[in-house]
Amino acid sequence: MWMFILASWVIYFSLKDHTKFLFSLRNSISLNHWNTFRNSTYPEAPPNPEISPTETELRIESIMEKLDQLIPPRPFTNVSSTTSATHSRATLLSPRDTYCRGDQLDVLLEMRDHLGRRKEYGGDFLRARIFSPALKAGASGKVTDFNNGTYLVSFTLFWEGQVSLSVLLIHPSEGVSALWRARNQGYDRVNFTGQFANGTSPVFSKCGLTLHTTAELCKYLDYRDQEAFYCLKPPRVPCEALTHVTTRNADISYIRQKEWALFHRSNVGVEIMKNFASIKVSACGKNKNIETKCRLGMKSPFPSGYSLKRKWIAAFCKQIELNETKTINDCLKRKLIYLMGDSTLRQWIQYLPKMVKTLKYFDLHGVGPFKTHVLLDAERHTLIQWKKHGHPFITQSLFSVKDDNYIPREIDRIAGDKDTAIVITLGQHLRPFPIKIFIRRAINVQKAIERLFLRSPETKVILKTENTRRLFDNAEMFSDFHGYIQNLIMRDIFMDLNVGIIDAWDMTIADSTNNIHPPDYVIENQINMFLNYIC
């Protein structure tokens, strides 16, 4: 009997070590920092064959190939050879004295450099918009790149009145190429500092998504989803004592010195159509109404709608006006709503009590602006919760990591039913890091949603795209070009899921807010779109 027990013990630990070895070996090929697996906040276990890291790696590489084709390297010698908004030409195709509401208006752009020479390749990052200040109206335009220095900009004339046209050159193609190359070169544009509890005196230590050091590390790893966060282990303090993290932007750049001229304030967001007069749009007897109610699974076109008198009007579905407290209360009755993401979604939970007076804050005793926020209406059994997404999260405010989790893990904890809704936004805090981090996170979220739908197909899931932000923020870290690429990735990955889309990107372009935290009327429009999906 003793020999049998001894033999079983040897076999058990041999197999256990063998499994660990295979897992670490296959992952060291795809992630060079994925080597030793200890001090994890997740259980040590081999990956589920149905959620193969190899499959995820193949998907990431496939998306990277598409992006590299979309953003090829462009030559740069000096600013004079780059795209110039002033010297480029815009031509209105088939001009008329009067246009009808619902018509499409097309503009042909011919891009030239600062010496007036015709550009022979595309890749410029442009932003097109129509607007009527008197009507507080706006809508984005669709840009088609012919990859030869010419572009077609198409506008749908959604409303009547005097309409102005705008096309901004946000970055020339040479600047786009520099941003793409720089983004994917390093992880160290942001310094993370971890706070470890040590009696009454906290201990601080360097942390990050990767740490290139031979020193002993605390490793906070999600094995299944291959997410990682590290800290230098403080002396005589256990890794489990990490309680808070804060960040600072590092004085590190991968933009070459001569390329920085491309991101000078005078060269970012320059108007191409500044000499164009406004056009007149009339009703012309056209009054086509959309009869299909907004519902989950609908494909969101671009532009997905327009703003008129600061109210968002969807272009692909019929919205129900939910502007009375009773109507909204009826909609929210017995609802469990989980908001997962960054502070642009936290704005919802801050604005909702202004719309619904019966919603009251419930204090969970957290600290700082990024604690978990909860709204309750006990009488109607309504609960709304906002929780920040997991690493990386960029803020100078100290935030707790004790209740921290990646969005896929949060989704896995929700049972779901017909009265449960989840809203997810992802992107702003990932802009300063290589794009593979974002792609992996988006794939992991998609898989978590698929698991949720298996156990609860009636649960409602809505994705809020990124907001645009100020044009003159640190372009290398936070340019809207990064957000634009991330939006393309999100649409590709979530294309076949039965989810709703709140196109905050389109909304913030239409209203030209240029603020990562747009004003209340934009937040109200986003929430109204959400309510239309769940009610």
Side-chain angles (χ1 to χ4, degrees):
M1 185 178 69
W2 283 110
M3 290 297 293
F4 175 79
I5 293 172
L6 178 62
S8 300
W9 182 82
V10 170
I11 293 169
Y12 170 77
F13 280 99
S14 297
L15 289 175
K16 186 176 181 183
D17 291 341
H18 179 63
T19 303
K20 285 185 185 178
F21 172 75
L22 287 178
F23 183 38
S24 61
L25 177 65
R26 69 193 284 187
N27 281 278
S28 66
I29 296 171
S30 57
L31 288 177
N32 56 15
H33 64 277
W34 212 274
N35 38 37
T36 307
F37 298 89
R38 293 199 182 104
N39 299 325
S40 170
T41 55
Y42 301 98
E44 291 196 28
N48 186 327
E50 296 177 1
I51 311 172
S52 167
T54 303
E55 175 202 343
T56 298
E57 295 302 326
L58 290 173
R59 290 184 67 187
I60 292 172
E61 291 306 319
S62 174
I63 292 171
M64 286 298 300
E65 287 177 11
K66 293 179 186 177
L67 293 174
D68 286 334
Q69 291 173 6
L70 182 68
I71 319 162
R74 295 302 184 194
F76 176 76
T77 52
N78 54 63
V79 172
S80 64
S81 63
T82 65
T83 311
S84 164
T86 303
H87 290 84
S88 297
R89 299 175 183 176
T91 304
L92 198 61
L93 300 182
S94 305
R96 305 199 297 269
D97 292 334
T98 302
Y99 294 84
C100 296
R101 179 185 172 194
D103 283 353
Q104 180 171 300
L105 183 147
D106 293 322
V107 176
L108 184 67
L109 300 181
E110 183 186 86
M111 310 306 279
R112 296 177 177 270
D113 66 19
H114 289 263
L115 299 177
R117 299 172 299 196
R118 169 80 181 270
K119 294 297 291 290
E120 296 180 352
Y121 51 81
D124 300 303
F125 183 43
L126 306 172
R127 178 171 298 168
R129 177 175 177 258
I130 55 173
F131 59 99
S132 296
L135 298 173
K136 295 183 174 61
S140 59
K142 182 179 180 181
V143 178
T144 303
D145 185 351
F146 294 121
N147 296 310
N148 61 2
T150 62
Y151 300 79
L152 181 67
V153 182
S154 302
F155 300 101
T156 300
L157 303 175
F158 288 111
W159 64 86
E160 305 165 38
Q162 292 297 126
V163 175
S164 299
L165 312 180
S166 168
V167 179
L168 300 179
L169 174 63
I170 307 297
H171 301 305
S173 53
E174 297 80 7
V176 166
S177 179
L179 288 175
W180 183 242
R181 184 200 70 245
R183 175 170 186 174
N184 295 303
Q185 277 188 253
Y187 292 77
D188 47 1
R189 294 181 188 84
V190 178
N191 290 326
F192 294 83
T193 301
Q195 177 178 300
F196 290 75
N198 185 29
T200 58
S201 301
V203 176
F204 296 91
S205 184
K206 181 178 181 180
C207 301
L209 301 181
T210 61
L211 289 177
H212 302 289
T213 177
T214 57
E216 185 178 2
L217 295 178
C218 291
K219 302 167 185 177
Y220 307 96
L221 310 177
D222 183 329
Y223 294 91
R224 183 194 68 192
D225 293 340
Q226 296 193 337
E227 300 278 11
F229 190 72
Y230 302 91
C231 291
L232 292 177
K233 187 181 183 305
R236 297 176 298 282
V237 177
C239 293
E240 292 78 10
L242 177 65
T243 60
H244 294 80
V245 171
T246 185
T247 70
R248 295 287 189 279
N249 293 347
D251 188 20
I252 292 175
S253 173
Y254 296 99
I255 298 289
R256 295 165 187 155
Q257 188 63 39
K258 61 182 180 179
E259 291 172 336
W260 272 111
L262 299 173
F263 307 106
H264 188 273
R265 189 173 185 133
S266 61
N267 292 326
V268 176
V270 184
E271 181 61 68
I272 295 176
M273 302 184 66
K274 57 188 173 185
N275 296 322
F276 267 68
S278 61
I279 63 169
K280 184 179 180 182
V281 180
S282 301
C284 303
K286 296 183 178 181
N287 192 23
K288 183 180 178 182
N289 293 321
I290 300 173
E291 298 298 331
T292 306
K293 181 187 178 298
C294 300
R295 65 175 187 272
L296 301 177
M298 282 185 157
K299 303 303 178 187
S300 176
F302 190 84
S304 61
Y306 62 99
S307 183
L308 181 63
K309 298 180 180 178
R310 289 186 171 169
K311 293 290 184 183
W312 181 254
I313 302 168
F316 63 97
C317 62
K318 181 179 180 180
Q319 293 165 277
I320 299 170
E321 192 63 35
L322 295 166
N323 54 6
E324 295 182 8
T325 299
K326 183 182 183 305
T327 307
I328 299 176
N329 271 331
D330 290 344
C331 171
L332 294 178
K333 189 173 181 180
R334 296 193 60 79
K335 294 291 193 297
L336 299 177
I337 298 170
Y338 299 92
L339 310 178
M340 304 178 183
D342 55 35
S343 57
T344 67
L345 202 51
R346 187 190 62 191
Q347 283 186 277
W348 285 27
I349 210 162
Q350 293 169 329
Y351 184 74
L352 274 163
K354 300 177 184 178
M355 296 177 67
V356 186
K357 304 298 183 185
T358 57
L359 287 171
K360 305 297 181 184
Y361 280 106
F362 183 82
D363 186 3
L364 289 179
H365 297 202
V367 177
F370 300 110
K371 64 182 181 181
T372 300
H373 293 258
V374 172
L375 292 176
L376 286 176
D377 182 341
E379 182 181 339
R380 294 175 178 81
H381 303 283
T382 300
L383 181 145
I384 304 173
Q385 173 187 284
W386 173 84
K387 197 169 187 179
K388 60 177 281 299
H389 64 67
H391 305 298
F393 202 82
I394 302 171
T395 173
Q396 293 184 7
S397 300
L398 205 65
F399 62 86
S400 171
V401 297
K402 297 316 293 180
D403 63 346
D404 219 8
N405 225 334
Y406 296 107
I407 288 177
R409 294 287 178 174
E410 291 290 340
I411 295 172
D412 287 342
R413 295 171 60 182
I414 296 172
D417 60 20
K418 64 181 179 60
D419 290 320
T420 299
I422 300 172
V423 186
I424 300 164
T425 191
L426 191 66
Q428 293 284 354
H429 292 256
L430 283 85
R431 290 187 184 190
F433 301 97
I435 195 68
K436 285 187 178 182
I437 295 288
F438 180 84
I439 299 172
R440 182 184 303 279
R441 185 69 52 82
I443 290 172
N444 288 338
V445 170
Q446 177 221 354
K447 290 181 176 180
I449 294 171
E450 289 175 340
R451 291 192 295 270
L452 170 66
F453 285 161
L454 285 175
R455 64 183 179 270
S456 175
E458 293 182 310
T459 300
K460 299 171 178 64
V461 178
I462 294 93
L463 304 177
K464 185 190 86 69
T465 65
E466 293 181 52
N467 301 340
T468 56
R469 59 189 298 162
R470 283 195 314 171
L471 297 178
F472 312 115
D473 284 340
N474 181 332
E476 182 176 0
M477 294 177 65
F478 298 113
S479 169
D480 273 342
F481 164 71
H482 299 313
Y484 169 71
I485 294 300
Q486 289 175 176
N487 275 335
L488 293 182
I489 293 168
M490 290 286 281
R491 289 180 179 274
D492 181 69
I493 290 174
F494 292 91
M495 178 172 50
D496 297 325
L497 284 180
N498 185 36
V499 299
I501 302 291
I502 296 174
D503 200 338
W505 184 267
D506 207 1
M507 291 179 177
T508 49
I509 290 177
D511 285 307
S512 192
T513 54
N514 293 328
N515 191 333
I516 189 174
H517 298 118
D520 280 354
Y521 65 87
V522 176
I523 303 305
E524 183 176 336
N525 286 331
Q526 293 175 4
I527 293 173
N528 270 322
M529 194 71 195
F530 163 69
L531 295 175
N532 268 269
Y533 278 131
I534 69 168
C535 299

